[in-house]
Amino acid sequence: MIENNTDAHILVSMTYASRANSDVSANDFNEILQQAQRNNAANGITGMLIFNKDYFLQTIEGPRAQINRLLYSLIADQRHHDLQLIETRELKHRLWAKWSMNYASPTEENAAIYLKYSTTVSFNPYLLNAESANDLMRELSEV
Ligand SMILES: Cc1cc2nc3c(=O)[nH]c(=O)nc-3n(C[C@H](O)[C@H](O)[C@H](O)COP(=O)(O)O)c2cc1C
């Protein structure tokens, strides 16, 4: 029997919300995005990142070991805090296969979509269940 010690065939998806540190600007967001796209392309990770005022909402998907490694980096990253997992699951197929990291920030065009998923005056991803978080990201990616 051939032994195979790599778990690269096990794909997982992780979605979390976090709060941006108060000094994170649109410029910082662009830097985070570029860093994510560069690293993810090398690590077989794909996903979607939302930045809306104080909050991040992100899905990362890829080989289980890589996703776990990235989780440690994310928790240690000083540009945000209060990382809260919304969903982790195994995947048969990637949902974001085309993007090393797709993204959305608030624009006039997608304002109605954020509003649809807001139960409070302003958008708050900590209040989303997994299904709504996925639906929101999918709708934003279609704008
Ligand atoms: C909201 C947020 C999302 C991030 N997403 C990713 C990501 O998808 N992939 C990634 O490699 N780094 C991401 N980072 C950066 C990591 O926390 C960490 O800084 C980076 O992976 C370290 O990369 P380096 O080894 O190139 O310095 C993100 C950071 C923040 C604050």
Side-chain angles (χ1 to χ4, degrees):
M1 196 170 104
I2 298 166
E3 278 225 22
N4 188 348
N5 285 324
T6 169
D7 72 352
H9 60 293
I10 303 173
L11 279 180
V12 301
S13 165
M14 198 191 86
T15 299
Y16 72 86
S18 66
R19 202 180 274 268
N21 284 354
S22 52
D23 56 351
V24 168
S25 64
N27 252 0
D28 297 317
F29 177 62
N30 285 336
E31 262 174 39
I32 290 169
L33 194 61
Q34 280 171 22
Q35 186 183 29
Q37 288 172 339
R38 198 173 47 239
N39 289 349
N40 292 354
N43 295 330
I45 293 174
T46 49
M48 170 73 170
L49 175 62
I50 291 175
F51 178 47
N52 190 333
K53 294 207 179 83
D54 294 343
Y55 301 108
F56 293 112
L57 174 67
Q58 186 178 31
T59 292
I60 50 176
E61 56 185 22
R64 187 169 65 194
Q66 306 282 8
I67 293 299
N68 275 279
R69 211 164 294 142
L70 178 54
L71 177 59
Y72 281 100
S73 294
L74 289 168
I75 290 170
D77 196 311
Q78 299 289 321
R79 292 170 291 188
H80 66 170
H81 55 279
D82 288 350
L83 188 155
Q84 193 174 110
L85 288 177
I86 294 176
E87 184 184 36
T88 55
R89 65 193 177 96
E90 254 181 44
L91 291 178
K92 283 207 176 72
H93 308 285
R94 292 175 192 254
L95 297 178
W96 302 101
K98 282 189 275 175
W99 294 275
S100 57
M101 190 47 62
N102 195 5
Y103 72 98
S105 37
T107 62
E108 269 175 39
E109 265 184 308
N110 65 27
I113 299 174
Y114 281 107
L115 203 62
K116 180 171 156 191
Y117 290 90
S118 302
T119 49
T120 50
V121 180
S122 55
F123 175 68
N124 182 346
Y126 290 98
L127 303 177
L128 294 173
N129 63 24
E131 193 184 358
S132 302
N134 286 325
D135 290 349
L136 167 64
M137 287 191 276
R138 198 153 324 139
E139 281 198 40
L140 286 171
S141 74
E142 285 162 7
V143 174

